[in-house]
Each structure stands twice: as C-alpha cells, then as structure tokens.
Amino acid sequence: MLGFIVGFLYGSLLEYLIHDFIFHRLGKKKGSIWSYHLKDHHRLSKRNNFIDLTESKAESTGMMFLVLIHTPLFFISFGGWLGVTLYALAFKYLHGYQHKYPEFTKKYMKWHWDHHMKASNKNFGVVVPWMDYVFGTRKKYSEE
C-alpha cells in the first residue's frame, strides 16, 4: 500500500515537472517540439471555452514512453509501479474528459480550468493539484 501511495505521489510530481518545465518553459522557445502545448492546446482551449477535442500524438507517445521506462519498477515494487502507471492513465483519460466536458472541470477540477482560463503559469496539476501546493503555484481564482 505504501508503494502505491509513493508511486501515485511520484506520478503527480512527474506530471507537474513535465507540464511546467517541458510544456511551458521549453514550449515557449521558438522551434521547440513542445511548443504545440501553448500554441495549439492552450489557444484552442481558451478560444473554445475550454473545449479541445484534439489528441496530441506527442503527449500520447510520451505517456507510453514514461510507462515503459518505469517497467523495471514492476519487479522492484509492484505497488509503486501500479501507482505511477494508474496516475499516467488517470492523466491520459481525465485530461481528455476535462476538455470534452468543461462544466465537469469547472465544478470538480477547478485548478485545471483556472490554468487554462485564468493564468497558464499557475496550477500545473491536471489530475490533482498537490504539487502546485508543494511548489507554491496553486492559485485559486474562484471558490471551489
């Protein structure tokens, strides 16, 4: 059980670091392969009242790569592997669901709504906002 909790927390940390440093910081650089995140995903979401039905091949490939490189964890700590893998799956499916059903996101996952609709340099958590609290990037713009 402890392994699962640690794996899930680690998944949240990975999500935060990838979203903040790779998609937002590296994505700002001209010609970056990560620029689609800000140029396409954020612009489309903002323009369409949070709706974005496109699926990023880079994001899906990256998710599969992350799960693959964590495969050795399966043999070291099944719980840890399960935690990080389930977090990755939660991200994959919840992110798409959130952008398909913005009212759900606005009501139950306000931090992600705020990230897109209020300030893209805050609230990097998609599944949970835990690491935003840890790193001081959680910003509430309205009641949750």
Side-chain angles (χ1 to χ4, degrees):
M1 182 62 153
L2 179 61
F4 177 82
I5 293 168
V6 170
F8 202 81
L9 286 170
Y10 171 66
S12 180
L13 177 63
L14 279 177
E15 172 194 52
Y16 180 91
L17 295 173
I18 291 167
H19 193 180
D20 181 9
F21 291 99
I22 295 176
F23 291 160
H24 283 261
R25 296 182 194 204
L26 294 179
K28 283 182 185 176
K29 297 182 180 195
K30 190 173 183 165
S32 169
I33 63 169
W34 309 111
S35 64
Y36 76 89
H37 182 77
L38 294 172
K39 284 189 341 189
D40 299 334
H41 178 56
H42 272 264
R43 284 186 188 159
L44 188 59
S45 297
K46 189 81 167 181
R47 190 176 338 138
N48 294 333
N49 197 32
F50 199 78
I51 294 174
D52 178 3
L53 303 180
T54 61
E55 185 172 333
S56 163
K57 289 180 182 169
E59 192 174 279
S60 296
T61 303
M63 191 69 59
M64 289 188 301
F65 176 73
L66 282 173
V67 169
L68 184 64
I69 66 169
H70 286 88
T71 301
L73 191 55
F74 178 90
F75 302 102
I76 299 166
S77 169
F78 177 75
W81 172 83
L82 186 61
V84 73
T85 300
L86 286 179
Y87 196 95
L89 291 172
F91 172 85
K92 174 71 177 147
Y93 292 103
L94 271 174
H95 192 227
Y97 189 85
Q98 288 174 359
H99 284 284
K100 188 174 184 181
Y101 301 102
E103 290 305 316
F104 168 85
T105 309
K106 201 172 186 180
K107 185 173 182 179
Y108 297 109
M109 302 177 113
K110 187 73 171 134
W111 57 90
H112 191 55
W113 172 272
D114 288 342
H115 173 72
H116 280 277
M117 306 307 284
K118 303 291 183 179
S120 64
N121 62 343
K122 300 286 182 193
N123 304 315
F124 294 102
V126 174
V127 177
V128 293
W130 301 336
M131 293 302 151
D132 285 302
Y133 286 110
V134 169
F135 293 107
T137 53
R138 177 67 180 104
K139 171 78 171 152
K140 293 182 183 183
Y141 292 92
S142 57
E143 288 302 309
E144 292 183 14

